Amino acid sequence: MNIVTTKVSLTVEDIAASSRFFTAYLGFREVESTEGYICLRRDDSTAEIALCERDPELPPRAWRGQGLADLAVTLTVTDLTAEYERLRGRGSVVVGPIRQEPWGERQFLLTDPNGVVVRLAEWVPPAGAPEHDGSAAAEEAGRPQGQFASDAGA
């Protein structure tokens, strides 16, 4: 298998509002737009975010993300503090302060107009840990086996 990109598909009530959020605050741009669908990408990444309108043929409970209540779009960035200050200064809905997690990640959360949670994170190795780039494999190395970022410290 050769994975060439990663796409997160989000079903939201107002795709235009979410698109404005991701483009205005997080530097994404629209690469595709049709009725009920917008695909976003940044020029410095192959990862994409697809915004889809809810299918009116489906019952409401089928699209509300049952079991996904803690879903967050995580973007690993450089200079997290500068991004925190920039987004607060631009009026983005930042949820709480920057937190330092025991596994070496600094992070903060923000939400888009549809309630989509976006986690901005920066890898800071814990004391005594080897330096690395924050890739998924490296991040997992700092966590107990089988523990997810959302579980750590809980």
Side-chain angles (χ1 to χ4, degrees):
M1 172 171 47
N2 182 25
I3 298 174
V4 295
T5 190
T6 300
K7 182 182 292 188
V8 175
S9 296
L10 304 171
T11 301
V12 296
E13 283 292 324
D14 185 347
I15 63 173
S18 286
S19 179
R20 284 190 302 274
F21 170 83
F22 280 97
T23 57
Y25 293 120
L26 300 175
F28 283 81
R29 64 182 173 84
E30 289 188 10
V31 294
E32 184 178 350
S33 180
T34 61
E35 185 176 339
Y37 175 84
I38 297 174
C39 184
L40 306 169
R41 184 182 311 138
R42 286 181 49 103
D43 291 335
D44 60 356
S45 174
T46 60
E48 297 178 341
I49 295 175
L51 303 170
C52 308
E53 286 184 347
R54 180 182 72 81
D55 183 344
E57 300 294 318
L58 294 177
R61 295 182 136 288
W63 68 271
R64 286 199 178 144
Q66 288 180 314
L68 299 176
D70 293 330
L71 175 73
V73 175
T74 300
L75 305 171
T76 303
V77 301
T78 57
D79 202 350
L80 184 76
T81 301
E83 286 303 308
Y84 179 80
E85 295 302 328
R86 182 184 71 81
L87 290 164
R88 286 187 50 184
R90 296 209 42 215
S92 179
V93 180
V94 175
V95 182
I98 295 175
R99 293 188 339 215
Q100 175 72 45
E101 302 296 352
W103 56 86
E105 185 177 77
R106 293 177 68 229
Q107 65 176 346
F108 70 91
L109 305 176
L110 55 151
T111 58
D112 92 336
N114 286 294
V116 173
V117 175
V118 177
R119 175 183 294 119
L120 293 187
E122 178 179 52
W123 173 253
V124 178
E131 293 281 331
H132 56 75
D133 64 2
S135 65
E139 285 185 31
E140 290 303 323
R143 294 187 191 118
Q145 187 69 17
Q147 187 175 37
F148 294 99
S150 59
D151 299 333

